[in-house]
Amino acid sequence: MLANERMALVLDGASAFEPVDVSTALYVDYLAAAIQTNLEEEHDVDLRTVVADAIRDTASRLGLHPGNSPSSTISLLRARESHIDLLCLGDSAIYYGADSVEVNMLTDARLSKLGIPEHKAYRERVAAGHGYDSRHRELLAALQREQRKRRNRAGGYWIAEADPDAAFHAVVQTVPRKEISWAVLATDGAYSPMLHLGLANWARLAHGSEAELANVLDICAVWEKRDDPNGHALPRAKVSDDKALAAVVL
């Protein structure tokens, strides 16, 4: 997660159940730094171009090739004088609004709509109380293999990996300044339990302190590990996923 007076960026690297060329953490660090550098150098360039150049630079620096690379979601906010630019690639989300009670959300749901049988199967097993056993791990590995076949191609889904063209398929929106006064960028590991537990008061969270945001994430993590360690109440791929929130007041 990176933030300054002009931008906020949240990346969520995908856990790999089969080996890839470099670690997901290293990939995310390089990609985040490249996006930030590109934003500082090009203030008004389309965000998709900013991200595409960052993916290209990261893949080159780490020697990555499409299909055998870590991947990551991206949620990105850029503040300009009269507009706010938003971009989502993958299932991280941006919640935003103005002084009214209405909350808007930008996210990319294409991955969840692929209809891969292993996706339904693992969720049904977890909901039935089987927990995170060896069969669960087998299903997740099979699911990732099927997802890779559909990654960054028409009719599939798009994610930051080693192909810069994926950035041009991101979900984007430009919002006039008068229509947005706050935003919260959240990974799915954060917003899913927050929504389930009724903790997703996005406008209030946007104005919250760092300690208040951390407390919300701690509550979610404790609930997952203590009250729902088998994923029965909230079916998910693992007991507790990485959680990140970036709160922005404009």
Side-chain angles (χ1 to χ4, degrees):
M1 182 174 66
L2 296 172
N4 57 36
E5 67 277 4
R6 295 192 63 254
M7 57 84 72
L9 170 67
V10 171
L11 304 184
D12 186 16
S15 299
F17 292 88
E18 294 187 335
V20 291
D21 287 341
V22 303
S23 74
T24 301
L26 183 64
Y27 173 79
V28 166
D29 287 345
Y30 270 71
L31 182 60
I35 292 173
Q36 183 178 30
T37 297
N38 292 348
L39 285 173
E40 291 171 349
E41 294 176 351
E42 302 287 354
H43 293 173
D44 295 313
V45 171
D46 189 297
L47 287 186
R48 289 166 290 197
T49 300
V50 168
V51 172
D53 290 344
I55 292 173
R56 182 181 295 107
D57 180 65
T58 300
S60 176
R61 286 176 178 268
L62 296 178
L64 300 175
H65 304 282
N68 193 26
S69 165
S71 62
S72 177
T73 72
I74 299 174
S75 55
L76 174 60
L77 178 150
R78 177 179 61 187
R80 292 190 288 164
E81 183 175 350
S82 59
H83 293 82
I84 305 299
D85 301 316
L86 308 173
L87 177 147
C88 285
L89 187 61
D91 58 7
S92 290
I94 303 176
Y95 296 89
Y96 66 94
D99 295 331
S100 66
V101 296
E102 182 179 0
V103 176
N104 302 286
M105 182 186 72
L106 186 73
T107 192
D108 179 356
R110 285 171 288 194
L111 178 58
S112 64
K113 296 179 179 179
L114 291 178
I116 298 174
E118 287 83 359
H119 181 264
K120 181 180 179 182
Y122 96 73
R123 293 179 67 86
E124 288 180 344
R125 288 189 82 256
V126 172
H130 294 284
Y132 301 103
D133 57 8
S134 60
R135 177 55 182 157
H136 177 79
R137 293 189 291 274
E138 291 171 359
L139 284 170
L140 289 184
L143 173 60
Q144 285 198 341
R145 288 193 293 270
E146 291 302 313
Q147 287 174 341
R148 284 187 184 185
K149 296 176 184 178
R150 297 161 172 81
R151 182 189 295 172
N152 293 341
R153 61 185 59 194
Y157 72 105
W158 304 88
I159 200 78
E161 191 230 24
D163 181 1
D165 185 59
F168 295 102
H169 298 271
V171 178
V172 296
Q173 190 160 345
T174 295
V175 185
R177 278 266 192 173
K178 64 182 180 181
E179 297 179 11
I180 178 172
S181 61
W182 60 265
V184 178
L185 288 68
T187 62
D188 66 326
Y191 68 72
S192 291
M194 288 171 66
L195 291 168
H196 181 77
L197 297 174
L199 300 174
N201 187 330
W202 301 113
R204 180 178 60 79
L205 288 167
H207 294 82
S209 67
E210 183 175 345
E212 290 170 329
L213 297 177
N215 183 58
V216 169
L217 297 183
D218 286 344
I219 290 172
C220 291
V222 168
W223 176 84
E224 288 171 330
K225 296 171 184 176
R226 183 189 64 197
D227 300 322
D228 193 35
N230 293 319
H232 176 69
L234 180 61
R236 53 197 186 275
K238 51 188 174 181
V239 177
S240 188
D241 201 357
D242 294 338
K243 296 171 175 51
L245 293 174
V248 180
V249 176
L250 300 160

